[in-house]
Amino acid sequence: MFWRVKKGGSEEMKRRYRYTTSLIAESIAYSFTSNLEKISEEKYIKKLFNKFSLFLPYPVSIRLPSQDLINEMNSLGDKIILIEGIQSSLSFFMIKKELRNRVILRIHNWESNYHREMAISSVGFRKILHNLVALQYKVYEKILFSYQIKIAHISEDEKKLMEVKFNASKHYLMPPIAKSIIDINNEKREIVDFLIMGDMSISGNYVGAEWFAKNVWPALLEKWPDRKLHIVGINSEKIRGSGIISHGYVENLKEFIENNKTVSIIAVAKGGGVKIKTIDTMVSGIPAIYSIKSLEGLMHKEDVMANCYNYTHGNFSSAFIACCQAVENIENTHTYTEYLKKYCLENYSEHAYEKSFNAIRYSQ
């Protein structure tokens, strides 16, 4: 069960949906929108406001399951019910009590913390809204996780923290599936330019890219006047400057990367869970420099940080030094790239997901 499939983490949801249905023939997905597959069905009530709106976090209240859906869930018997995200968890309280032990709730973000973080970097009404939703989620999560519910985390960091805070629930790790953007066969190519990819309508992407473009890029351009910073993605045109080429949305990203000898800057500034862009970059074998925020939630994070160029968002020196090292130490950059690709194939593959999913399915 899920809300919608649009981009980012929801795109990864589509990967798991397709892989899960290939493993388990008797599978069906219920969603608010039917744009995942033809067999998906609209089973949420399309109301922006309802009787729950004043008492629940807004993202939860607008995901109100229809009575038809609850009736179908109640008729599932011993089948597993996988709910995607705290936002879609209202159905847990509406189904028969004896079915609740069949539910797996997959956590994409620890929502109260996520909205609190978003509030810090927001202003005006948006800041007030994020603070209010964070407070609502804090109360809702306390109630939800007081039940003995199976919680599947994508983030190892959040799993460790929530195990302590919500010890009535059972906590597991269910890693996302990484998908290769391009397989460059580990070509040890010269790095000529820099590249930032991402949807700039997403705050965590835009804030990180804008900070890099304004604070780090001018120093890199002074060091290497002939190099360019390419920015690819929706609304990337908002970021301008000397030596910056904003391409907007690129239909064929594979072709773009093949034709440009770049090192990617994964300039994520905020967000929760595991960043899908991070693991997709790693498994693709793309040379990259990572903000520490973009590495948040990864398994064996300390080992990853020791085997990649990374920097702290907001810290000019760490970002500038990481970029210089990546360009000037090509052999080391490609050694890191090989390590990260192997790491992702081991920890964020379809096989890794299947193994974790089965462990949760058959746990008591």
Side-chain angles (χ1 to χ4, degrees):
M1 286 176 51
F2 55 90
W3 172 243
R4 61 182 176 177
V5 173
K6 191 175 180 182
K7 53 194 173 185
S10 295
E11 173 62 29
E12 188 276 330
M13 193 191 305
K14 186 190 301 182
R15 301 172 194 170
R16 285 184 296 101
Y17 160 71
R18 288 175 174 165
Y19 187 64
T20 302
T21 53
S22 73
L23 295 172
I24 307 171
E26 296 181 2
S27 299
I28 188 166
Y30 296 115
S31 68
F32 181 86
T33 54
S34 57
N35 62 347
L36 180 64
E37 294 287 351
K38 289 182 179 180
I39 66 167
S40 297
E41 302 177 16
E42 297 185 13
K43 293 293 181 181
Y44 287 93
I45 296 175
K46 297 181 179 179
K47 288 185 178 180
L48 292 181
F49 296 98
N50 55 60
K51 62 184 179 181
F52 297 104
S53 297
L54 295 177
F55 307 102
L56 295 171
Y58 181 70
V60 174
S61 70
I62 63 173
R63 292 157 169 82
L64 178 61
S66 68
Q67 189 57 50
D68 286 343
L69 174 57
I70 298 303
N71 291 340
E72 289 187 39
M73 292 175 70
N74 284 335
S75 67
L76 289 175
D78 61 353
K79 291 184 172 60
I80 295 292
I81 301 171
L82 177 61
I83 300 175
E84 292 284 350
I86 298 175
Q87 304 96 317
S88 300
S89 63
L90 200 54
S91 57
F92 175 80
F93 297 101
M94 301 172 71
I95 60 175
K96 293 177 182 178
K97 291 182 180 179
E98 57 266 29
L99 293 180
R100 290 176 180 172
N101 65 348
R102 309 298 300 169
V103 170
I104 300 173
L105 175 60
R106 190 169 188 266
I107 302 294
H108 308 145
N109 295 308
W110 188 348
E111 295 295 340
S112 58
N113 285 359
Y114 171 77
H115 283 279
R116 192 178 302 113
E117 181 180 328
M118 296 294 284
I120 292 171
S121 58
S122 301
V123 295
F125 177 73
R126 189 174 292 274
K127 187 179 189 74
I128 296 171
L129 184 62
H130 278 302
N131 275 319
L132 174 61
V133 173
L135 181 60
Q136 290 176 319
Y137 263 123
K138 187 175 181 180
V139 176
Y140 182 76
E141 289 165 354
K142 185 176 181 180
I143 297 170
L144 177 63
F145 298 137
S146 66
Y147 291 84
Q148 290 186 348
I149 183 172
K150 292 180 179 179
I151 303 174
H153 300 266
I154 72 169
S155 164
E156 189 170 62
D157 292 342
E158 289 185 356
K159 175 180 176 290
K160 290 177 180 178
L161 292 171
M162 293 182 77
E163 276 179 323
V164 175
K165 188 171 181 64
F166 305 111
N167 54 20
S169 298
K170 298 179 180 180
H171 299 262
Y172 305 85
L173 199 61
M174 184 185 284
I177 297 174
K179 182 179 180 181
S180 180
I181 302 168
I182 174 178
D183 188 354
I184 58 176
N185 298 318
N186 196 38
E187 295 177 43
K188 296 186 177 179
R189 304 189 299 176
E190 175 191 8
I191 293 173
V192 176
D193 293 331
F194 296 83
L195 169 66
I196 295 178
M197 299 179 289
D199 183 347
M200 297 305 155
S201 65
I202 298 175
S203 177
N205 290 338
Y206 177 73
V207 171
E210 184 189 41
W211 176 82
F212 185 91
K214 286 186 175 181
N215 296 279
V216 184
W217 174 245
L220 293 172
L221 186 62
E222 183 177 347
K223 182 178 177 67
W224 295 302
D226 296 331
R227 297 184 188 250
K228 304 295 181 186
L229 171 60
H230 298 272
I231 306 181
V232 170
I234 297 171
N235 290 331
S236 61
E237 300 91 339
K238 295 191 295 184
I239 302 175
R240 301 179 181 276
S242 179
I244 297 176
I245 304 175
S246 297
H247 298 267
Y249 177 75
V250 172
E251 186 70 36
N252 193 332
L253 188 58
K254 178 179 182 291
E255 184 178 293
F256 182 90
I257 295 173
E258 284 177 341
N259 294 336
N260 293 275
K261 297 177 180 179
T262 59
V263 60
S264 289
I265 312 296
I266 312 301
V268 177
K270 54 185 177 179
V274 171
K275 315 303 179 292
I276 304 305
K277 176 167 54 178
T278 296
I279 59 174
D280 283 357
T281 298
M282 290 178 176
V283 81
S284 300
I286 298 172
I289 301 156
Y290 300 87
S291 72
I292 290 178
K293 186 67 178 177
S294 73
L295 302 175
E296 191 176 69
L298 292 178
M299 289 183 273
H300 318 299
K301 186 173 67 176
E302 293 76 13
D303 292 339
V304 172
M305 290 180 64
N307 287 277
C308 74
Y309 292 115
N310 57 78
Y311 69 93
T312 302
H313 171 74
N315 186 315
F316 164 79
S317 296
S318 67
F320 180 76
I321 291 171
C323 290
C324 292
Q325 289 178 334
V327 173
E328 293 171 345
N329 301 309
I330 297 296
E331 287 295 325
N332 203 41
T333 298
H334 287 290
T335 298
Y336 284 164
T337 302
E338 288 179 30
Y339 172 88
L340 294 174
K341 184 171 184 176
K342 182 179 179 182
Y343 158 83
C344 260
L345 290 172
E346 290 176 354
N347 295 286
Y348 295 101
S349 63
E350 290 179 339
H351 175 70
Y353 162 72
E354 180 184 354
K355 184 179 179 181
S356 67
F357 181 59
N358 286 332
I360 301 171
R361 283 175 66 197
Y362 299 119
S363 66
Q364 298 298 319

